[in-house]
Amino acid sequence: MSAEFWAGYLSGAVGIVIGNPLDMVKVRLQVARAAAPVLGYGALNGLLFVSYQRTEAALGQAHGDSLWTTWLAGAVGGLCTWVVSTPTELVKCRAQVSEPVVSSWTVARHMWRAGGIRALYFGGSVTALRDSVGYGFYFWSYRLANSWWPLPSSPSLRHKAPRILLCGGLAGIVTWASVFPLDVVKSRVQARPWQAARQCSGALQVAREMFRDEGARAFFRGLTVCSIRAFIVNAVQWAVYESIVHDLCNMPDAR
């Protein structure tokens, strides 16, 4: 497999290990424990980076290199992760708000028995929308932030490290700020009991109920915690990703 996939896979796994404690706080704030599935998020991140890189290369050849092609490539990459992100997010949300505490695998088995593959992909539409928009801004903001930080010609990875960390952290904040209301709605949808979820008409109904009962503030509950988590996790993820890509691309067999 490509360097982008393995770099994305490992950086995603590291990001989940670091960010899961704060992510649990975010989900609990949104909808009112258990480890997030690291393997699922590793695969998601690997798929994201591969699809982004391939799409950006194709768009660059057809339309030239620009920030809008970066955004579009990120959106396509985010959409490609839907097949992994929807069941992973569903299991994560339900595991984190469950009482008593249950494992992610227990939640997944329960959902499968309750409704099969359909149950595991509940909330898929709002998840796909969130991921496509969010990852569009993710890569767009990372590239934009990098363009504001000039470096000497042929810098070493060590010299680029502060820029990677800061730009990665800022990209994480921009991403979540752009889609946070969608993420709140998604969490509410996916955290509902399966029987109640089957009777719900979807994300729009949940959003209307939230606005009617709790006002506009409900759509931004947990944003501060999420922003802190986003900066830390994405700073580390980008640092791990860039480091692994650099090492893999400079291996003797890769030349």
Side-chain angles (χ1 to χ4, degrees):
M1 292 186 182
S2 67
E4 289 88 358
F5 177 84
W6 287 115
Y9 188 101
L10 293 173
S11 63
V14 170
I16 283 299
V17 171
I18 293 172
N20 192 54
L22 284 174
D23 191 59
M24 289 166 59
V25 175
K26 173 181 76 75
V27 172
R28 285 182 174 271
L29 286 171
Q30 288 177 348
V31 300
R33 282 171 308 251
V38 174
L39 294 177
Y41 274 95
L44 185 154
N45 222 47
L47 179 60
L48 169 67
F49 276 90
V50 168
S51 54
Y52 162 73
Q53 294 287 353
R54 300 297 185 269
T55 304
E56 186 180 45
L59 289 173
Q61 290 180 349
H63 303 286
D65 188 31
S66 66
L67 282 172
W68 86 264
T69 57
T70 297
W71 189 94
L72 187 57
V76 172
L79 194 59
C80 289
T81 66
W82 172 84
V83 67
V84 178
S85 65
T86 298
T88 303
E89 286 281 316
L90 176 70
V91 169
K92 181 196 72 172
C93 285
R94 289 179 179 271
Q96 288 179 342
V97 300
S98 63
E99 295 290 351
V101 176
V102 295
S103 70
S104 297
W105 291 112
T106 299
V107 173
R109 287 196 301 269
H110 173 75
M111 294 301 296
W112 179 264
R113 288 196 297 266
I117 193 71
R118 181 186 173 197
L120 288 173
Y121 279 86
F122 186 75
S125 297
V126 67
T127 303
L129 180 61
R130 183 205 65 170
D131 288 350
S132 58
V133 173
Y135 283 122
F137 281 109
Y138 185 58
F139 291 103
W140 175 86
S141 56
Y142 183 72
R143 178 177 175 180
L144 181 63
N146 271 277
S147 70
W148 293 339
W149 192 322
L151 288 173
S153 59
S154 302
S156 66
L157 188 62
R158 185 182 66 180
H159 287 112
K160 292 193 292 185
R163 184 176 78 169
I164 293 171
L165 289 167
L166 181 59
C167 294
L170 291 174
I173 293 175
V174 170
T175 299
W176 281 106
S178 69
V179 296
F180 199 76
L182 281 173
D183 187 65
V184 175
V185 173
K186 180 204 71 67
S187 295
R188 293 283 186 103
V189 169
Q190 293 187 325
R192 288 189 170 194
W194 173 238
Q195 293 302 322
R198 293 177 63 184
Q199 300 171 4
C200 175
S201 61
L204 286 177
Q205 178 182 331
V206 171
R208 284 195 294 265
E209 291 174 356
M210 287 175 58
F211 186 77
R212 181 193 64 209
D213 298 337
E214 304 171 60
R217 287 187 177 183
F219 293 93
F220 298 94
R221 188 174 297 138
L223 180 57
T224 300
V225 172
C226 183
S227 296
I228 296 170
R229 173 191 178 275
F231 186 92
I232 297 170
V233 169
N234 288 283
V236 174
Q237 276 193 180
W238 273 108
V240 172
Y241 174 82
E242 297 280 16
S243 176
I244 293 174
V245 167
H246 177 270
D247 290 343
L248 290 177
C249 290
N250 285 280
M251 290 176 64
D253 291 341
R255 293 175 181 173

